[in-house]
mmCIF file of all heavy atoms in Angstrom:
data_model
loop_
_atom_site.group_PDB
_atom_site.id
_atom_site.type_symbol
_atom_site.label_atom_id
_atom_site.label_comp_id
_atom_site.label_asym_id
_atom_site.label_seq_id
_atom_site.Cartn_x
_atom_site.Cartn_y
_atom_site.Cartn_z
ATOM 1 N N THR Z 1 -1.125 0.650 6.556
ATOM 2 C CA THR Z 1 0.156 0.270 6.210
ATOM 3 C C THR Z 1 0.255 -1.215 5.825
ATOM 4 O O THR Z 1 0.792 -1.509 4.729
ATOM 5 C CB THR Z 1 1.274 0.559 7.303
ATOM 6 O OG1 THR Z 1 1.343 1.883 7.615
ATOM 7 C CG2 THR Z 1 2.613 -0.048 6.972
ATOM 8 N N SER Z 2 -0.274 -2.019 6.641
ATOM 9 C CA SER Z 2 -0.329 -3.506 6.293
ATOM 10 C C SER Z 2 -0.928 -3.843 4.867
ATOM 11 O O SER Z 2 -0.280 -4.636 4.117
ATOM 12 C CB SER Z 2 -0.970 -4.352 7.485
ATOM 13 O OG SER Z 2 -0.256 -4.109 8.626
ATOM 14 N N PRO Z 3 -2.047 -3.296 4.545
ATOM 15 C CA PRO Z 3 -2.642 -3.524 3.184
ATOM 16 C C PRO Z 3 -1.692 -2.983 2.128
ATOM 17 O O PRO Z 3 -1.524 -3.579 1.098
ATOM 18 C CB PRO Z 3 -3.967 -2.787 3.156
ATOM 19 C CG PRO Z 3 -4.290 -2.743 4.667
ATOM 20 C CD PRO Z 3 -3.061 -2.547 5.372
ATOM 21 N N ALA Z 4 -1.084 -1.855 2.357
ATOM 22 C CA ALA Z 4 -0.122 -1.313 1.380
ATOM 23 C C ALA Z 4 1.103 -2.231 1.215
ATOM 24 O O ALA Z 4 1.518 -2.479 0.120
ATOM 25 C CB ALA Z 4 0.348 0.057 1.772
ATOM 26 N N VAL Z 5 1.588 -2.736 2.305
ATOM 27 C CA VAL Z 5 2.688 -3.722 2.186
ATOM 28 C C VAL Z 5 2.259 -5.037 1.545
ATOM 29 O O VAL Z 5 2.971 -5.555 0.648
ATOM 30 C CB VAL Z 5 3.113 -4.013 3.599
ATOM 31 C CG1 VAL Z 5 4.197 -5.235 3.602
ATOM 32 C CG2 VAL Z 5 3.932 -2.917 4.245
ATOM 33 N N ARG Z 6 1.052 -5.520 1.810
ATOM 34 C CA ARG Z 6 0.622 -6.721 1.105
ATOM 35 C C ARG Z 6 0.518 -6.395 -0.386
ATOM 36 O O ARG Z 6 0.912 -7.274 -1.150
ATOM 37 C CB ARG Z 6 -0.870 -7.024 1.644
ATOM 38 C CG ARG Z 6 -1.407 -8.356 1.191
ATOM 39 C CD ARG Z 6 -2.327 -8.286 -0.020
ATOM 40 N NE ARG Z 6 -3.301 -7.286 0.242
ATOM 41 C CZ ARG Z 6 -3.716 -6.621 -0.911
ATOM 42 N NH1 ARG Z 6 -3.246 -6.804 -2.060
ATOM 43 N NH2 ARG Z 6 -4.635 -5.685 -0.633
ATOM 44 N N ALA Z 7 -0.094 -5.294 -0.843
ATOM 45 C CA ALA Z 7 -0.092 -4.956 -2.264
ATOM 46 C C ALA Z 7 1.342 -4.871 -2.858
ATOM 47 O O ALA Z 7 1.450 -5.264 -4.006
ATOM 48 C CB ALA Z 7 -0.912 -3.739 -2.462
ATOM 49 N N PHE Z 8 2.210 -4.291 -2.063
ATOM 50 C CA PHE Z 8 3.645 -4.131 -2.515
ATOM 51 C C PHE Z 8 4.247 -5.436 -2.807
ATOM 52 O O PHE Z 8 4.891 -5.647 -3.796
ATOM 53 C CB PHE Z 8 4.357 -3.383 -1.471
ATOM 54 C CG PHE Z 8 5.847 -3.149 -1.776
ATOM 55 C CD1 PHE Z 8 6.345 -2.233 -2.579
ATOM 56 C CD2 PHE Z 8 6.790 -4.108 -1.123
ATOM 57 C CE1 PHE Z 8 7.700 -2.065 -2.779
ATOM 58 C CE2 PHE Z 8 8.125 -3.935 -1.344
ATOM 59 C CZ PHE Z 8 8.614 -2.957 -2.176
ATOM 60 N N VAL Z 9 3.916 -6.444 -1.953
ATOM 61 C CA VAL Z 9 4.463 -7.854 -2.230
ATOM 62 C C VAL Z 9 3.695 -8.564 -3.248
ATOM 63 O O VAL Z 9 4.281 -9.159 -4.134
ATOM 64 C CB VAL Z 9 4.315 -8.631 -0.960
ATOM 65 C CG1 VAL Z 9 4.794 -10.092 -1.009
ATOM 66 C CG2 VAL Z 9 5.207 -7.911 0.202
ATOM 67 N N GLU Z 10 2.376 -8.530 -3.267
ATOM 68 C CA GLU Z 10 1.593 -9.283 -4.232
ATOM 69 C C GLU Z 10 1.849 -8.817 -5.714
ATOM 70 O O GLU Z 10 1.933 -9.744 -6.553
ATOM 71 C CB GLU Z 10 0.077 -9.140 -3.920
ATOM 72 C CG GLU Z 10 -0.828 -9.894 -4.823
ATOM 73 C CD GLU Z 10 -2.306 -9.753 -4.495
ATOM 74 O OE1 GLU Z 10 -2.656 -9.261 -3.477
ATOM 75 O OE2 GLU Z 10 -3.055 -10.241 -5.332
ATOM 76 N N HIS Z 11 2.036 -7.560 -5.898
ATOM 77 C CA HIS Z 11 2.261 -7.066 -7.244
ATOM 78 C C HIS Z 11 3.708 -6.865 -7.581
ATOM 79 O O HIS Z 11 3.998 -6.161 -8.609
ATOM 80 C CB HIS Z 11 1.392 -5.839 -7.422
ATOM 81 C CG HIS Z 11 -0.014 -6.041 -7.212
ATOM 82 N ND1 HIS Z 11 -0.944 -6.675 -8.030
ATOM 83 C CD2 HIS Z 11 -0.842 -5.650 -6.065
ATOM 84 C CE1 HIS Z 11 -2.113 -6.670 -7.648
ATOM 85 N NE2 HIS Z 11 -2.113 -6.150 -6.370
ATOM 86 N N ASN Z 12 4.591 -7.467 -6.736
ATOM 87 C CA ASN Z 12 6.054 -7.460 -7.171
ATOM 88 C C ASN Z 12 6.538 -5.962 -7.328
ATOM 89 O O ASN Z 12 7.383 -5.767 -8.123
ATOM 90 C CB ASN Z 12 6.293 -8.236 -8.333
ATOM 91 C CG ASN Z 12 5.928 -9.672 -8.125
ATOM 92 O OD1 ASN Z 12 6.015 -10.188 -7.104
ATOM 93 N ND2 ASN Z 12 5.402 -10.140 -9.204
ATOM 94 N N LEU Z 13 5.985 -5.075 -6.559
ATOM 95 C CA LEU Z 13 6.515 -3.642 -6.731
ATOM 96 C C LEU Z 13 7.899 -3.444 -6.247
ATOM 97 O O LEU Z 13 8.591 -2.490 -6.687
ATOM 98 C CB LEU Z 13 5.599 -2.733 -5.853
ATOM 99 C CG LEU Z 13 4.106 -2.600 -6.298
ATOM 100 C CD1 LEU Z 13 3.407 -1.591 -5.402
ATOM 101 C CD2 LEU Z 13 3.998 -2.334 -7.730
ATOM 102 N N TYR Z 14 8.466 -4.466 -5.530
ATOM 103 C CA TYR Z 14 9.833 -4.485 -5.039
ATOM 104 C C TYR Z 14 10.835 -4.598 -6.240
ATOM 105 O O TYR Z 14 11.978 -4.424 -6.117
ATOM 106 C CB TYR Z 14 10.126 -5.486 -3.995
ATOM 107 C CG TYR Z 14 9.575 -6.931 -4.317
ATOM 108 C CD1 TYR Z 14 10.247 -7.790 -5.200
ATOM 109 C CD2 TYR Z 14 8.402 -7.361 -3.841
ATOM 110 C CE1 TYR Z 14 9.800 -8.995 -5.461
ATOM 111 C CE2 TYR Z 14 7.989 -8.612 -4.141
ATOM 112 C CZ TYR Z 14 8.600 -9.428 -4.930
ATOM 113 O OH TYR Z 14 8.142 -10.703 -5.223
ATOM 114 N N ALA Z 15 10.220 -5.048 -7.455
ATOM 115 C CA ALA Z 15 11.090 -5.264 -8.545
ATOM 116 C C ALA Z 15 11.206 -4.001 -9.309
ATOM 117 O O ALA Z 15 12.010 -3.874 -10.206
ATOM 118 C CB ALA Z 15 10.465 -6.306 -9.453
ATOM 119 N N GLU Z 16 10.372 -2.910 -8.877
ATOM 120 C CA GLU Z 16 10.614 -1.573 -9.656
ATOM 121 C C GLU Z 16 11.746 -0.866 -8.994
ATOM 122 O O GLU Z 16 12.483 -1.196 -7.997
ATOM 123 C CB GLU Z 16 9.318 -0.852 -9.388
ATOM 124 C CG GLU Z 16 8.065 -1.459 -10.031
ATOM 125 C CD GLU Z 16 6.849 -0.644 -9.920
ATOM 126 O OE1 GLU Z 16 6.856 0.503 -9.348
ATOM 127 O OE2 GLU Z 16 5.689 -1.060 -10.387
ATOM 128 N N THR Z 17 12.152 0.242 -9.736
ATOM 129 C CA THR Z 17 13.195 1.033 -9.294
ATOM 130 C C THR Z 17 12.902 1.578 -7.882
ATOM 131 O O THR Z 17 11.795 2.169 -7.725
ATOM 132 C CB THR Z 17 13.462 2.175 -10.215
ATOM 133 O OG1 THR Z 17 13.637 1.713 -11.591
ATOM 134 C CG2 THR Z 17 14.639 3.082 -9.788
ATOM 135 N N MET Z 18 13.780 1.463 -6.897
ATOM 136 C CA MET Z 18 13.635 2.043 -5.557
ATOM 137 C C MET Z 18 14.063 3.432 -5.416
ATOM 138 O O MET Z 18 14.915 3.926 -6.240
ATOM 139 C CB MET Z 18 14.322 1.178 -4.573
ATOM 140 C CG MET Z 18 13.913 -0.262 -4.445
ATOM 141 S SD MET Z 18 12.182 -0.350 -3.840
ATOM 142 C CE MET Z 18 11.981 -2.136 -3.785
ATOM 143 N N PRO Z 19 13.421 4.251 -4.572
ATOM 144 C CA PRO Z 19 12.382 3.853 -3.681
ATOM 145 C C PRO Z 19 10.943 3.913 -4.311
ATOM 146 O O PRO Z 19 10.760 4.576 -5.324
ATOM 147 C CB PRO Z 19 12.431 4.942 -2.692
ATOM 148 C CG PRO Z 19 12.790 6.208 -3.333
ATOM 149 C CD PRO Z 19 13.783 5.782 -4.395
ATOM 150 N N VAL Z 20 10.104 2.996 -3.814
ATOM 151 C CA VAL Z 20 8.703 2.996 -4.221
ATOM 152 C C VAL Z 20 8.013 3.948 -3.213
ATOM 153 O O VAL Z 20 7.980 3.678 -2.100
ATOM 154 C CB VAL Z 20 8.080 1.657 -4.291
ATOM 155 C CG1 VAL Z 20 6.581 1.672 -4.532
ATOM 156 C CG2 VAL Z 20 8.751 0.765 -5.356
ATOM 157 N N LYS Z 21 7.329 5.014 -3.781
ATOM 158 C CA LYS Z 21 6.706 5.986 -2.844
ATOM 159 C C LYS Z 21 5.157 6.032 -3.240
ATOM 160 O O LYS Z 21 4.821 6.380 -4.254
ATOM 161 C CB LYS Z 21 7.341 7.387 -3.086
ATOM 162 C CG LYS Z 21 8.775 7.363 -2.783
ATOM 163 C CD LYS Z 21 9.527 8.456 -3.387
ATOM 164 C CE LYS Z 21 9.303 9.794 -2.699
ATOM 165 N NZ LYS Z 21 10.208 10.893 -3.266
ATOM 166 N N ILE Z 22 4.414 5.709 -2.192
ATOM 167 C CA ILE Z 22 2.956 5.626 -2.434
ATOM 168 C C ILE Z 22 2.196 6.381 -1.218
ATOM 169 O O ILE Z 22 2.786 6.508 -0.136
ATOM 170 C CB ILE Z 22 2.408 4.091 -2.468
ATOM 171 C CG1 ILE Z 22 2.836 3.377 -1.142
ATOM 172 C CG2 ILE Z 22 2.941 3.379 -3.660
ATOM 173 C CD1 ILE Z 22 2.128 1.911 -1.141
ATOM 174 N N TYR Z 23 0.946 6.699 -1.569
ATOM 175 C CA TYR Z 23 0.087 7.283 -0.493
ATOM 176 C C TYR Z 23 -1.303 6.818 -0.751
ATOM 177 O O TYR Z 23 -1.646 6.263 -1.811
ATOM 178 C CB TYR Z 23 0.132 8.868 -0.576
ATOM 179 C CG TYR Z 23 -0.739 9.454 -1.643
ATOM 180 C CD1 TYR Z 23 -2.048 9.903 -1.372
ATOM 181 C CD2 TYR Z 23 -0.151 9.646 -2.981
ATOM 182 C CE1 TYR Z 23 -2.814 10.404 -2.407
ATOM 183 C CE2 TYR Z 23 -0.961 10.197 -4.029
ATOM 184 C CZ TYR Z 23 -2.335 10.613 -3.638
ATOM 185 O OH TYR Z 23 -3.098 11.190 -4.700
ATOM 186 N N TYR Z 24 -2.182 6.994 0.370
ATOM 187 C CA TYR Z 24 -3.503 6.505 0.286
ATOM 188 C C TYR Z 24 -4.308 7.440 1.114
ATOM 189 O O TYR Z 24 -3.910 8.028 2.025
ATOM 190 C CB TYR Z 24 -3.687 5.055 0.698
ATOM 191 C CG TYR Z 24 -2.945 4.726 1.977
ATOM 192 C CD1 TYR Z 24 -3.464 5.085 3.279
ATOM 193 C CD2 TYR Z 24 -1.709 4.160 1.990
ATOM 194 C CE1 TYR Z 24 -2.712 4.774 4.435
ATOM 195 C CE2 TYR Z 24 -0.948 3.879 3.052
ATOM 196 C CZ TYR Z 24 -1.556 4.111 4.334
ATOM 197 O OH TYR Z 24 -0.890 3.911 5.488
ATOM 198 N N ILE Z 25 -5.638 7.573 0.788
ATOM 199 C CA ILE Z 25 -6.621 8.141 1.547
ATOM 200 C C ILE Z 25 -7.723 7.193 1.709
ATOM 201 O O ILE Z 25 -8.488 6.778 0.674
ATOM 202 C CB ILE Z 25 -7.134 9.517 0.802
ATOM 203 C CG1 ILE Z 25 -6.040 10.510 0.671
ATOM 204 C CG2 ILE Z 25 -8.262 10.098 1.677
ATOM 205 C CD1 ILE Z 25 -6.500 11.677 -0.185
ATOM 206 N N THR Z 26 -8.007 6.609 2.795
ATOM 207 C CA THR Z 26 -8.802 5.358 2.821
ATOM 208 C C THR Z 26 -9.620 5.368 4.280
ATOM 209 O O THR Z 26 -9.235 5.916 5.258
ATOM 210 C CB THR Z 26 -7.975 4.092 2.851
ATOM 211 O OG1 THR Z 26 -8.768 3.028 2.894
ATOM 212 C CG2 THR Z 26 -6.966 4.117 4.064
ATOM 213 N N PRO Z 27 -10.825 4.773 4.208
ATOM 214 C CA PRO Z 27 -11.491 4.543 5.476
ATOM 215 C C PRO Z 27 -10.891 3.422 6.205
ATOM 216 O O PRO Z 27 -10.386 2.528 5.602
ATOM 217 C CB PRO Z 27 -12.947 4.185 5.085
ATOM 218 C CG PRO Z 27 -12.820 3.680 3.631
ATOM 219 C CD PRO Z 27 -11.681 4.485 3.055
ATOM 220 N N VAL Z 28 -10.774 3.564 7.566
ATOM 221 C CA VAL Z 28 -10.380 2.503 8.414
ATOM 222 C C VAL Z 28 -11.408 2.289 9.543
ATOM 223 O O VAL Z 28 -12.130 3.140 9.893
ATOM 224 C CB VAL Z 28 -8.970 2.719 9.029
ATOM 225 C CG1 VAL Z 28 -7.913 2.738 7.956
ATOM 226 C CG2 VAL Z 28 -8.895 4.054 9.805
ATOM 227 N N TYR Z 29 -11.373 1.058 10.151
ATOM 228 C CA TYR Z 29 -12.423 0.707 11.104
ATOM 229 C C TYR Z 29 -11.754 0.094 12.297
ATOM 230 O O TYR Z 29 -10.944 -0.828 12.346
ATOM 231 C CB TYR Z 29 -13.270 -0.463 10.426
ATOM 232 C CG TYR Z 29 -13.925 0.054 9.100
ATOM 233 C CD1 TYR Z 29 -13.137 -0.157 7.883
ATOM 234 C CD2 TYR Z 29 -15.171 0.587 9.131
ATOM 235 C CE1 TYR Z 29 -13.710 0.340 6.736
ATOM 236 C CE2 TYR Z 29 -15.690 1.175 7.921
ATOM 237 C CZ TYR Z 29 -14.965 0.912 6.749
ATOM 238 O OH TYR Z 29 -15.544 1.381 5.559
ATOM 239 N N ARG Z 30 -12.096 0.733 13.395
ATOM 240 C CA ARG Z 30 -11.731 0.259 14.867
ATOM 241 C C ARG Z 30 -12.892 0.213 15.804
ATOM 242 O O ARG Z 30 -13.578 1.292 15.946
ATOM 243 C CB ARG Z 30 -10.532 1.063 15.256
ATOM 244 C CG ARG Z 30 -9.319 0.944 14.465
ATOM 245 C CD ARG Z 30 -8.100 1.660 15.064
ATOM 246 N NE ARG Z 30 -6.984 1.896 14.147
ATOM 247 C CZ ARG Z 30 -5.919 2.461 14.476
ATOM 248 N NH1 ARG Z 30 -5.848 3.000 15.587
ATOM 249 N NH2 ARG Z 30 -4.998 2.440 13.513
ATOM 250 N N TYR Z 31 -13.013 -0.869 16.475
ATOM 251 C CA TYR Z 31 -14.135 -0.915 17.444
ATOM 252 C C TYR Z 31 -13.564 -0.328 18.748
ATOM 253 O O TYR Z 31 -12.924 -1.140 19.527
ATOM 254 C CB TYR Z 31 -14.657 -2.356 17.662
ATOM 255 C CG TYR Z 31 -15.927 -2.379 18.486
ATOM 256 C CD1 TYR Z 31 -17.066 -2.153 17.911
ATOM 257 C CD2 TYR Z 31 -15.771 -2.672 19.944
ATOM 258 C CE1 TYR Z 31 -18.300 -2.292 18.625
ATOM 259 C CE2 TYR Z 31 -16.957 -2.641 20.612
ATOM 260 C CZ TYR Z 31 -18.191 -2.452 20.051
ATOM 261 O OH TYR Z 31 -19.353 -2.447 20.843
ATOM 262 N N GLU Z 32 -13.813 0.808 19.026
ATOM 263 C CA GLU Z 32 -13.391 1.484 20.251
ATOM 264 C C GLU Z 32 -14.352 2.613 20.597
ATOM 265 O O GLU Z 32 -15.297 2.920 19.907
ATOM 266 C CB GLU Z 32 -11.964 2.134 20.031
ATOM 267 C CG GLU Z 32 -11.959 3.200 18.824
ATOM 268 C CD GLU Z 32 -10.613 3.724 18.587
ATOM 269 O OE1 GLU Z 32 -9.744 3.589 19.467
ATOM 270 O OE2 GLU Z 32 -10.383 4.245 17.511
ATOM 271 N N ARG Z 33 -14.223 3.138 21.838
ATOM 272 C CA ARG Z 33 -15.209 4.141 22.232
ATOM 273 C C ARG Z 33 -15.083 5.363 21.459
ATOM 274 O O ARG Z 33 -13.978 5.945 21.342
ATOM 275 C CB ARG Z 33 -14.904 4.407 23.756
ATOM 276 C CG ARG Z 33 -15.919 5.457 24.376
ATOM 277 C CD ARG Z 33 -15.558 5.586 25.891
ATOM 278 N NE ARG Z 33 -14.300 6.183 26.165
ATOM 279 C CZ ARG Z 33 -13.999 7.534 26.035
ATOM 280 N NH1 ARG Z 33 -15.096 8.264 25.704
ATOM 281 N NH2 ARG Z 33 -12.816 7.991 26.257
ATOM 282 N N PRO Z 34 -16.176 5.782 20.806
ATOM 283 C CA PRO Z 34 -16.147 6.976 19.955
ATOM 284 C C PRO Z 34 -15.678 8.118 20.844
ATOM 285 O O PRO Z 34 -16.121 8.346 21.879
ATOM 286 C CB PRO Z 34 -17.388 7.150 19.373
ATOM 287 C CG PRO Z 34 -18.006 5.707 19.437
ATOM 288 C CD PRO Z 34 -17.441 5.128 20.667
ATOM 289 N N GLN Z 35 -14.777 9.046 20.359
ATOM 290 C CA GLN Z 35 -14.492 10.284 21.007
ATOM 291 C C GLN Z 35 -14.195 11.413 19.968
ATOM 292 O O GLN Z 35 -14.221 11.093 18.804
ATOM 293 C CB GLN Z 35 -13.178 9.965 21.796
ATOM 294 C CG GLN Z 35 -12.015 9.432 21.017
ATOM 295 C CD GLN Z 35 -10.781 9.049 21.844
ATOM 296 O OE1 GLN Z 35 -10.148 9.932 22.396
ATOM 297 N NE2 GLN Z 35 -10.611 7.723 22.060
ATOM 298 N N SER Z 36 -13.907 12.519 20.454
ATOM 299 C CA SER Z 36 -13.692 13.690 19.562
ATOM 300 C C SER Z 36 -12.626 13.422 18.659
ATOM 301 O O SER Z 36 -11.404 13.117 19.028
ATOM 302 C CB SER Z 36 -13.353 14.856 20.408
ATOM 303 O OG SER Z 36 -13.172 16.015 19.516
ATOM 304 N N GLY Z 37 -12.808 13.463 17.259
ATOM 305 C CA GLY Z 37 -11.892 13.271 16.264
ATOM 306 C C GLY Z 37 -11.510 11.757 16.067
ATOM 307 O O GLY Z 37 -10.665 11.512 15.178
ATOM 308 N N ARG Z 38 -12.179 10.945 16.636
ATOM 309 C CA ARG Z 38 -11.813 9.454 16.487
ATOM 310 C C ARG Z 38 -13.190 8.698 16.482
ATOM 311 O O ARG Z 38 -13.892 8.705 17.418
ATOM 312 C CB ARG Z 38 -10.912 8.965 17.627
ATOM 313 C CG ARG Z 38 -10.751 7.425 17.486
ATOM 314 C CD ARG Z 38 -9.946 7.085 16.283
ATOM 315 N NE ARG Z 38 -8.491 7.552 16.380
ATOM 316 C CZ ARG Z 38 -7.579 7.047 17.045
ATOM 317 N NH1 ARG Z 38 -7.577 5.983 17.740
ATOM 318 N NH2 ARG Z 38 -6.386 7.666 16.919
ATOM 319 N N LEU Z 39 -13.526 8.098 15.353
ATOM 320 C CA LEU Z 39 -14.768 7.347 15.147
ATOM 321 C C LEU Z 39 -14.398 5.926 14.827
ATOM 322 O O LEU Z 39 -13.304 5.614 14.509
ATOM 323 C CB LEU Z 39 -15.521 7.939 13.982
ATOM 324 C CG LEU Z 39 -16.009 9.500 14.200
ATOM 325 C CD1 LEU Z 39 -16.631 9.901 12.890
ATOM 326 C CD2 LEU Z 39 -16.969 9.529 15.401
ATOM 327 N N ARG Z 40 -15.406 5.135 14.869
ATOM 328 C CA ARG Z 40 -15.238 3.607 14.691
ATOM 329 C C ARG Z 40 -14.934 3.479 13.139
ATOM 330 O O ARG Z 40 -14.174 2.540 12.738
ATOM 331 C CB ARG Z 40 -16.428 2.849 15.070
ATOM 332 C CG ARG Z 40 -16.491 2.749 16.616
ATOM 333 C CD ARG Z 40 -17.731 1.975 17.006
ATOM 334 N NE ARG Z 40 -17.609 1.787 18.498
ATOM 335 C CZ ARG Z 40 -18.645 1.363 19.286
ATOM 336 N NH1 ARG Z 40 -19.706 1.019 18.741
ATOM 337 N NH2 ARG Z 40 -18.488 1.231 20.561
ATOM 338 N N GLU Z 41 -15.529 4.266 12.275
ATOM 339 C CA GLU Z 41 -15.148 4.321 10.943
ATOM 340 C C GLU Z 41 -14.515 5.834 10.712
ATOM 341 O O GLU Z 41 -15.235 6.809 10.927
ATOM 342 C CB GLU Z 41 -16.337 4.254 9.969
ATOM 343 C CG GLU Z 41 -15.832 4.365 8.475
ATOM 344 C CD GLU Z 41 -16.978 4.575 7.516
ATOM 345 O OE1 GLU Z 41 -17.790 5.481 7.692
ATOM 346 O OE2 GLU Z 41 -17.052 3.803 6.581
ATOM 347 N N HIS Z 42 -13.263 5.890 10.528
ATOM 348 C CA HIS Z 42 -12.678 7.128 10.215
ATOM 349 C C HIS Z 42 -11.818 7.026 8.995
ATOM 350 O O HIS Z 42 -11.783 5.959 8.419
ATOM 351 C CB HIS Z 42 -11.906 7.705 11.435
ATOM 352 C CG HIS Z 42 -10.737 6.820 12.029
ATOM 353 N ND1 HIS Z 42 -11.056 5.741 12.830
ATOM 354 C CD2 HIS Z 42 -9.434 6.825 11.801
ATOM 355 C CE1 HIS Z 42 -9.922 5.179 13.114
ATOM 356 N NE2 HIS Z 42 -8.928 5.827 12.534
ATOM 357 N N HIS Z 43 -11.178 8.085 8.643
ATOM 358 C CA HIS Z 43 -10.465 8.081 7.391
ATOM 359 C C HIS Z 43 -9.021 8.547 7.657
ATOM 360 O O HIS Z 43 -8.729 9.490 8.411
ATOM 361 C CB HIS Z 43 -11.140 9.182 6.453
ATOM 362 C CG HIS Z 43 -12.500 8.728 6.085
ATOM 363 N ND1 HIS Z 43 -13.563 8.964 6.978
ATOM 364 C CD2 HIS Z 43 -12.994 8.252 4.959
ATOM 365 C CE1 HIS Z 43 -14.711 8.515 6.380
ATOM 366 N NE2 HIS Z 43 -14.397 8.042 5.267
ATOM 367 N N GLN Z 44 -8.250 7.836 6.917
ATOM 368 C CA GLN Z 44 -6.733 8.008 7.156
ATOM 369 C C GLN Z 44 -6.022 8.370 5.911
ATOM 370 O O GLN Z 44 -6.182 7.807 4.815
ATOM 371 C CB GLN Z 44 -6.213 6.669 7.708
ATOM 372 C CG GLN Z 44 -4.652 6.730 8.328
ATOM 373 C CD GLN Z 44 -4.289 5.376 8.811
ATOM 374 O OE1 GLN Z 44 -3.855 4.501 8.039
ATOM 375 N NE2 GLN Z 44 -4.416 5.222 10.149
ATOM 376 N N PHE Z 45 -5.114 9.316 6.039
ATOM 377 C CA PHE Z 45 -4.169 9.727 4.914
ATOM 378 C C PHE Z 45 -2.895 9.192 5.351
ATOM 379 O O PHE Z 45 -2.366 9.291 6.531
ATOM 380 C CB PHE Z 45 -4.034 11.122 4.697
ATOM 381 C CG PHE Z 45 -2.777 11.611 4.076
ATOM 382 C CD1 PHE Z 45 -2.302 10.980 2.809
ATOM 383 C CD2 PHE Z 45 -1.973 12.608 4.574
ATOM 384 C CE1 PHE Z 45 -1.105 11.472 2.243
ATOM 385 C CE2 PHE Z 45 -0.853 13.085 4.088
ATOM 386 C CZ PHE Z 45 -0.467 12.466 2.817
ATOM 387 N N GLY Z 46 -2.228 8.305 4.644
ATOM 388 C CA GLY Z 46 -0.875 7.753 4.885
ATOM 389 C C GLY Z 46 -0.037 7.701 3.687
ATOM 390 O O GLY Z 46 -0.510 7.734 2.530
ATOM 391 N N ILE Z 47 1.301 7.694 4.014
ATOM 392 C CA ILE Z 47 2.248 7.518 2.936
ATOM 393 C C ILE Z 47 3.267 6.374 3.405
ATOM 394 O O ILE Z 47 3.405 6.108 4.572
ATOM 395 C CB ILE Z 47 3.098 8.732 2.648
ATOM 396 C CG1 ILE Z 47 3.995 9.139 3.726
ATOM 397 C CG2 ILE Z 47 2.046 9.918 2.223
ATOM 398 C CD1 ILE Z 47 5.013 10.240 3.398
#
């Protein structure tokens, strides 16, 4: 979410007709104990 918000601000997407509706499929990284279905590098779909 935070990178999507940063891009929304940097590229002035707020000047476009609202609502602005975006999605992403992206790798994300968290240093935590690996467990079933959760890895240090995993992939997230978000809107």
